[in-house]
Amino acid sequence: MSVVVMKFGGTSVEDPAAISRTAGIVAGRIALGKHPVVVVSALAKVTDQLLRAASAAASGDRTGALAISSRLRCRHRDTACALLKDSGAIVTLIDQKFDSLDEILRGLAAILELTPRISDLVVSFGERISSRIVAAAFRERGVEAAHVDARDIIVTDSQFQKAIPQDAIIDKRAQEKLRPLLEQGKVPVMGGFIASNIDGITTTLGRGGSDFTGALVGGALTADAIEIWTDVDGIMTCDPRMCSEALRVKVISFEEAAELAYFGAKVLHPATILPAVKKNIPVLVLNSKNPTNEGTRIISLAPHCKSPFKSIAVKKKLSIIDVVASRMLMTHGYLSEIFAIFDKHQCPVDMVSTSEVSVSLTVDSNEKLPAIAADLSKHADVKYEGKKALVCMVGEDIRGQSGIAAQVFAAIRHINVRMISQGASEINMSFMIEEEDAEEAVRSLHTAFFQNPDPLVFDVEAQKKQLLASSS
Ligand code: ASP
Ligand code: MG
């Protein structure tokens, strides 16, 4: 049996048109003899709104919180009514769910406290409801969907808001609850992101966690493929908004994709990689608004590529902190003291570079910087500056090649580079520049490295078509 896990993100289920399109995509897979398991996100933006409602309630704004909930109730009802001829049952269900959400919000407004556990409960409504609507819409469109509560399958520890999945239990539950449905020719439809601990208390896998659910289910069922349906054509050589010559990357390794994900290429959740890698299951990134496009295939061992890099990622809104130990020489334990300060302020550090007397670090949170700088200045001279961008170039073929750094910096010789790091992973080269130089740097680098793209790895056809269209 060829099982394929199809995960649809928020934009693939954002409105009735998107949900209908999604049903068509799933029906297409069934027609090919595949057995899909469908994982869906909440409708686009719903997760953010639920979190906003929870924090409004907990800060005493009961009316504001209930108003958000009421708008969400209408949106879900309208979506269901537009999709279904007989929407009575699902509307009743939506109303029940929102009634209980409202009860929780009123409770929060009374106790004025939002714990991670309750936050997970509030936010879970997004996927609990979207998966019901999608399952009903699928049935009406001839796809034999069976709704499954994700919390019965994805079992985690109790770290609310970023719970860790318990693989062995998930494998067992998937075999017990999903396999029989597949054998009956049914299409299980479940929410992503939401899970529960072993006592059945709702948890979540962290923001963007639906991809993770997809990969966990794919791993547990040893699926033939995991498809991540989103609203872009796949992983691109760079952000097309920054450089119109961006090309689709047809195939990329897990390691490269993970590296890009950490550096802000928002196409997929880095942890998606793990359960898929472990079982060597290919992950495909596909566009539900352009379903005939081949997307990007992420596999364990990418084929050798003629160009050293696969993609250029940029992360903006970063700050650089320079710590200069002018008042004392770098002594042992100095770095750990510096990191302890970032740790105390719960501020993750992106990139570090050190010399005998100075340390430069980059972080992406600005509001904590004054307090961090105040603590650091007890030990050293501290300067910090915002509006920086991190450019990260990823490719397995830079391993062991000489002269690549020279080519990179020659391409951007006119741009001031503030910090450089070639990661221990050996597959990325990263550097910091001023935010205002980011577009220019990406365009120059793209011209330098993607002039003669390898047709095995990059979608050269689309580029040719574009050139033809623009010249005619
Ligand atoms: N709905 C959740 C979020 O927005 C999970 C996901 O869509 O991946 O973070
Ligand atoms: Mg996502």
Side-chain angles (χ1 to χ4, degrees):
M1 185 190 308
S2 171
V3 175
V4 43
V5 174
M6 306 177 76
K7 177 261 167 173
F8 292 92
T11 52
S12 302
V13 294
E14 64 191 344
D15 54 26
I19 295 174
S20 289
R21 210 164 38 227
T22 292
I25 293 171
V26 173
R29 287 290 181 270
I30 297 169
L32 292 173
K34 312 242 182 240
H35 293 263
V37 176
V38 173
V39 173
V40 293
S41 290
L43 313 200
K45 307 225 163 67
V46 167
T47 303
D48 288 331
Q49 283 156 9
L50 287 168
L51 287 172
R52 215 168 313 128
S55 59
S59 63
D61 181 9
R62 185 172 176 270
T63 322
L66 291 172
I68 297 174
S69 168
S70 140
R71 279 196 297 275
L72 286 173
R73 184 193 293 246
C74 290
R75 177 171 168 201
H76 285 88
R77 274 166 150 252
D78 291 350
T79 305
C81 292
L83 284 163
L84 302 166
K85 272 188 238 85
D86 182 9
S87 55
I90 190 96
V91 167
T92 308
L93 194 124
I94 291 170
D95 277 335
Q96 278 165 1
K97 296 269 188 272
F98 277 99
D99 289 347
S100 65
L101 174 63
D102 288 351
E103 212 158 310
I104 299 166
L105 293 174
R106 286 191 199 97
L108 284 172
I111 56 175
L112 299 174
E113 189 196 355
L114 181 60
T115 61
R117 171 173 164 170
I118 303 303
S119 175
D120 275 355
L121 178 62
V122 170
V123 88
S124 73
F125 282 90
E127 271 77 4
R128 280 157 66 190
I129 302 171
S130 70
S131 55
R132 291 280 185 179
I133 297 175
V134 169
F138 277 15
R139 278 194 295 273
E140 185 145 321
R141 282 156 186 74
V143 172
E144 260 203 70
H147 180 265
V148 175
D149 191 329
R151 297 170 298 173
D152 292 337
I153 300 193
I154 309 297
V155 177
T156 65
D157 68 4
S158 300
Q159 288 184 61
F160 296 100
Q161 296 180 319
K162 48 172 187 308
I164 311 285
Q166 311 292 295
D167 292 343
I169 310 179
I170 295 172
D171 284 1
K172 189 161 166 278
R173 299 268 181 105
Q175 294 305 339
E176 279 168 11
K177 294 180 197 278
L178 298 176
R179 183 72 68 187
L181 291 171
L182 290 166
E183 272 155 11
Q184 291 159 37
K186 299 238 165 75
V187 176
V189 174
M190 57 194 269
F193 173 58
I194 58 173
S196 79
N197 70 9
I198 196 71
D199 300 322
I201 307 294
T202 300
T203 60
T204 64
L205 301 174
R207 289 308 304 270
S210 292
D211 295 348
F212 199 1
T213 307
L216 288 166
V217 173
L221 294 172
T222 322
D224 282 355
I226 297 163
E227 299 180 348
I228 306 289
W229 289 87
T230 167
D231 59 352
V232 293
D233 280 342
I235 295 177
M236 306 292 284
T237 49
C238 68
D239 185 339
R241 287 166 304 184
M242 287 196 167
C243 167
S244 58
E245 268 140 50
L247 296 159
R248 176 170 58 89
V249 183
K250 294 204 275 193
V251 56
I252 197 168
S253 74
F254 280 120
E255 230 186 307
E256 290 168 328
E259 203 79 33
L260 286 170
Y262 282 116
F263 283 95
K266 295 234 164 53
V267 265
L268 100 174
H269 191 287
T272 304
I273 306 300
L274 287 174
V277 172
K278 276 195 207 149
K279 292 211 171 165
N280 209 355
I281 302 170
V283 175
L284 285 113
V285 179
L286 296 158
N287 187 353
S288 67
K289 293 182 176 152
N290 185 16
T292 53
N293 188 285
E294 282 171 39
T296 299
R297 197 176 168 79
I298 307 172
I299 56 180
S300 327
L301 277 182
H304 175 69
C305 172
K306 276 188 242 145
S307 28
F309 296 110
K310 298 274 172 40
S311 181
I312 310 169
V314 177
K315 195 167 170 186
K316 289 190 182 177
K317 296 203 183 105
L318 298 180
S319 299
I320 294 188
I321 306 166
D322 294 312
V323 184
V324 182
S326 56
R327 282 181 269 127
M328 63 185 212
L329 277 177
M330 289 272 241
T331 49
H332 104 112
Y334 183 76
L335 278 176
S336 74
E337 262 174 68
I338 292 182
F339 281 111
I341 291 170
F342 283 89
D343 194 36
K344 177 183 140 196
H345 292 275
Q346 295 189 341
C347 178
V349 173
D350 275 319
M351 187 167 145
V352 187
S353 95
T354 69
S355 78
E356 207 64 51
V357 291
S358 71
V359 186
S360 300
L361 308 103
T362 69
V363 301
D364 69 358
S365 97
N366 297 312
E367 74 274 16
K368 290 174 184 161
L369 275 181
I372 293 173
D375 277 353
L376 287 169
S377 59
K378 291 175 198 148
H379 306 266
D381 292 332
V382 182
K383 269 190 323 208
Y384 63 90
E385 245 180 87
K387 296 213 168 88
K388 301 287 177 279
L390 176 64
V391 178
C392 167
M393 307 193 50
V394 171
E396 293 214 355
D397 293 278
I398 63 173
R399 261 191 193 123
Q401 273 199 50
S402 55
I404 305 279
Q407 287 174 43
V408 168
F409 294 109
I412 51 159
R413 64 174 78 75
H414 48 294
I415 288 170
N416 182 25
V417 174
R418 286 290 311 269
M419 255 171 93
I420 303 174
S421 123
Q422 178 162 5
S425 68
E426 279 187 74
I427 65 163
N428 94 64
M429 206 176 273
S430 310
F431 53 89
M432 297 288 290
I433 56 178
E434 298 296 326
E435 209 170 74
E436 61 190 28
D437 293 333
E439 259 95 60
E440 171 70 33
V442 169
R443 277 195 292 268
S444 305
L445 289 164
H446 203 274
T447 308
F449 289 100
F450 297 95
Q451 201 63 269
N452 283 309
D454 189 333
L456 276 179
V457 176
F458 304 102
D459 183 4
V460 187
E461 291 307 309
Q463 193 187 35
K464 276 193 208 138
K465 269 187 221 146
Q466 213 178 0
L467 279 179
L468 273 177
S470 61
S471 64
S472 61

